[in-house]
Amino acid sequence: MRVATRLFAAMLAVVLSGATAHAAEPEKPKLKLAVGSQILNYMPLELGVKLGMFKEEGLDVTVENFQAGGSKALQALIGGSVDGTVGFYDHTIQMQAQGKEITCVFLLNETPGVLLGVRKDLADQVKSGADLKGLKLGITTPGSSTDTMARFYLKKSGLTPRDVSIIAVGSGAPGMVALEAKTIDALVYFDPTATLLARKNAARPLFDARTVEGSRQAFGGAYPSACLYLPQAFIDKNPETTQRMVNAMLKTHRWIHSVPTEQLVDAIPTGYKTDNRDVNIEILNASKALFSQTGLMDIEAAKVPLAVLSDYDPKIAAAKIDLTKTFTNRFVEHAAKQLK
């Protein structure tokens, strides 16, 4: 009898704990989230909104696109005009060096998905980073992750920023137009631009970090990039809202990996794809592995962007960054248990 009573009590506790877990209401159900541009890396955020994943979690999410680049989206977060940002993990490290607490709560990309390529007509003379000397290199915006990664690659190749003209050309189509118009000689870019340039045979990559191998070649290891990051003060004040955002992101990523590429292409928001369905399928076949299946950050992987940023900025090197304060896996781990 006592065994049965204890068993019933245990079952009741499980039921009540489950009910309690779902009883809490989101502290801030209406949210404004930012993206640095409509590069493929950031796509899952708007896809999740389109698929209704956030609505299922009781959240009304508006996405604001800062086409100029990730640094602008970061500024909006620091300024308080948005609640959270999908941008490069780098920014959490940069902000800690400035005394600001920004925390990654969900990792979208375990590799950066970035390429650095030169114009086709220069391919014979530019075969390595060292050969970029004296040329014009396009990035999105000053201070952006493309700027940071470009400067690191230049230094690794034995050059200084003075050896190369670094020019802000924006993200996506504007950068591709600048390269094809010969306004610049080389470009740091992502998909869908990468696949479009490859189809035209308009650029030759010096590195292709859509894969772990390419990331190691350029940066010395897998380089976690896009993530959903929030001010730590927001997380502390709105833990249920944060949890529901992470739930929605994990559901979206699981959906991405559960459907055929053709179905994914049809669902992707317009700004993240071309008008040609066959091209879009080619892009996703090349880049589907870009999207994390877990959303978890690995502390060893986080050391790679820290090394890149420390090499780029002496203030970060001197700041004694505590990587454990730049990300948390607790919301993703909880979401994984909830969504089994």
Side-chain angles (χ1 to χ4, degrees):
M1 187 70 176
R2 287 179 180 176
V3 173
T5 301
R6 285 198 299 270
L7 181 60
F8 176 77
M11 291 173 64
L12 181 61
V14 170
V15 171
L16 288 176
S17 67
T20 303
H22 292 87
E25 292 296 319
E27 304 87 354
K28 197 172 190 295
K30 194 166 186 176
L31 299 164
K32 184 181 284 188
L33 302 179
V35 292
S37 62
Q38 287 183 307
I39 61 172
L40 194 62
N41 300 55
Y42 302 156
M43 178 274 296
L45 175 61
E46 291 196 63
L47 176 63
V49 173
K50 182 180 176 182
L51 292 175
M53 301 300 192
F54 289 92
K55 192 169 286 186
E56 284 180 10
E57 293 293 327
L59 302 176
D60 178 6
V61 172
T62 300
V63 179
E64 187 167 350
N65 174 21
F66 290 82
Q67 192 62 37
S71 58
K72 298 296 182 183
L74 175 62
Q75 288 171 19
L77 182 69
I78 299 301
S81 63
V82 298
D83 300 298
T85 295
V86 166
F88 267 45
Y89 167 68
D90 294 9
H91 297 148
T92 67
I93 297 172
Q94 292 168 326
M95 288 300 98
Q96 188 181 126
Q98 296 178 28
K100 297 179 175 66
E101 291 186 274
I102 303 295
T103 306
C104 163
V105 295
F106 186 92
L107 181 66
L108 281 72
N109 314 140
E110 293 165 356
T111 57
V114 67
L115 299 84
L116 191 155
V118 296
R119 291 198 326 256
K120 178 187 175 182
D121 59 300
L122 296 174
D124 288 340
Q125 65 190 74
V126 183
K127 296 183 178 180
S128 70
D131 297 328
L132 291 167
K133 187 173 184 178
L135 301 183
K136 291 178 282 188
L137 173 62
I139 60 164
T140 54
T141 55
S144 66
S145 295
T146 56
D147 187 14
T148 303
M149 290 188 290
R151 290 171 188 268
F152 177 82
Y153 183 69
L154 291 173
K155 185 172 182 180
K156 184 183 174 187
S157 302
L159 302 179
T160 71
R162 293 181 181 178
D163 293 322
V164 179
S165 297
I166 299 176
I167 301 171
V169 293
S171 177
M176 184 165 60
V177 169
L179 189 72
E180 292 182 304
K182 299 187 179 182
T183 304
I184 54 176
D185 305 306
L187 178 68
V188 182
Y189 54 99
F190 302 85
D191 259 325
T193 300
T195 299
L196 292 174
L197 287 173
R199 284 177 69 93
K200 295 178 179 180
N201 195 24
R204 176 185 175 275
L206 297 182
F207 69 75
D208 182 348
R210 287 178 293 184
T211 66
V212 172
E213 182 182 343
S215 184
R216 286 199 186 102
Q217 177 194 345
F219 309 113
Y223 193 123
S225 53
C227 69
L228 171 61
Y229 57 74
L230 308 167
Q232 185 59 46
F234 179 97
I235 297 170
D236 294 340
K237 186 178 179 181
N238 305 284
E240 181 65 22
T241 302
T242 302
Q243 185 63 62
R244 293 184 182 219
M245 278 192 277
V246 171
N247 291 352
M249 291 301 298
L250 183 57
K251 286 194 286 188
T252 302
H253 275 242
R254 286 183 174 180
W255 187 88
I256 287 171
H257 289 286
S258 71
V259 300
T261 302
E262 292 79 5
Q263 186 177 347
L264 175 58
V265 163
D266 292 339
I268 289 175
T270 303
Y272 294 91
K273 58 187 177 183
T274 73
D275 295 330
N276 186 316
R277 189 168 184 266
D278 290 338
V279 172
N280 295 326
I281 291 170
E282 185 178 337
I283 289 168
L284 263 298
N285 281 333
S287 296
K288 197 172 182 180
L290 179 67
F291 305 111
S292 172
Q293 298 193 44
T294 67
L296 294 166
M297 175 69 79
D298 177 74
I299 187 69
E300 291 303 314
K303 292 176 182 178
V304 176
L306 175 59
V308 170
L309 290 166
S310 297
D311 194 73
Y312 165 74
D313 188 342
K315 292 179 182 177
I316 292 176
K320 296 181 180 178
I321 298 295
D322 182 352
L323 285 176
T324 64
K325 293 182 179 179
T326 62
F327 71 92
T328 177
N329 283 327
R330 69 185 179 97
F331 294 102
V332 180
E333 289 168 348
H334 187 66
K337 292 176 184 176
Q338 282 185 319
L339 301 175
K340 277 184 179 178

